[in-house]
Amino acid sequence: LDPLALAAVRCNAALNGVAVATAEGDLVGSPCRWDVILAGDVCYEAPMTAHILPWLRLMARECDVWLADPGRAYLPREGLAPFATHAVPTSLE
C-alpha cells in the first residue's frame, strides 16, 4: 500500500546484503502464496485494521502470520497469541 515502505524495505535489504521481493499495490484479498506474512504496525487506524485484519486471519489458516504492533488502540485484544515482547525506548514526540 505504501511506496515509501517498499523503498525502506529495499534499502534495508540492500544494506543487509539480502534479496527481498516486494510487490507493488494492495495485496489484501490475494490468495495465499506465502509461508510467512510479516505485518508491522497495521492497526494504527480503524479503517486500516478493518481492511487488513480479516484477510490476515484468513491467511493464518494457510501460513504463519506475524503481526508486530506497539500496542495501538485498534489492535484486537482477542485471537492473537504473543510469542515475543520487546521494550523499545522512545520519546513521546
Side-chain angles (χ1 to χ4, degrees):
L1 292 176
D2 185 346
L4 292 176
L6 290 174
V9 168
R10 291 177 190 131
C11 288
N12 189 297
L15 288 170
N16 285 285
V18 297
V20 175
T22 56
E24 302 283 334
D26 189 353
L27 296 176
V28 173
S30 298
C32 189
R33 59 181 191 259
W34 306 279
D35 297 320
V36 179
I37 295 175
L38 306 175
D41 199 11
V42 296
C43 296
Y44 58 89
E45 292 178 324
M48 180 59 174
T49 303
H51 176 67
I52 198 169
L53 204 59
W55 179 73
L56 289 175
R57 289 188 189 280
L58 183 64
M59 293 297 98
R61 297 178 186 168
E62 300 184 47
C63 71
D64 288 338
V65 175
W66 294 9
L67 176 61
D69 190 273
R72 301 279 187 195
Y74 299 104
L75 177 69
R77 302 298 174 222
E78 296 178 2
L80 301 175
F83 62 88
T85 302
H86 302 279
V88 179
T90 62
S91 72
L92 296 176
E93 296 177 359

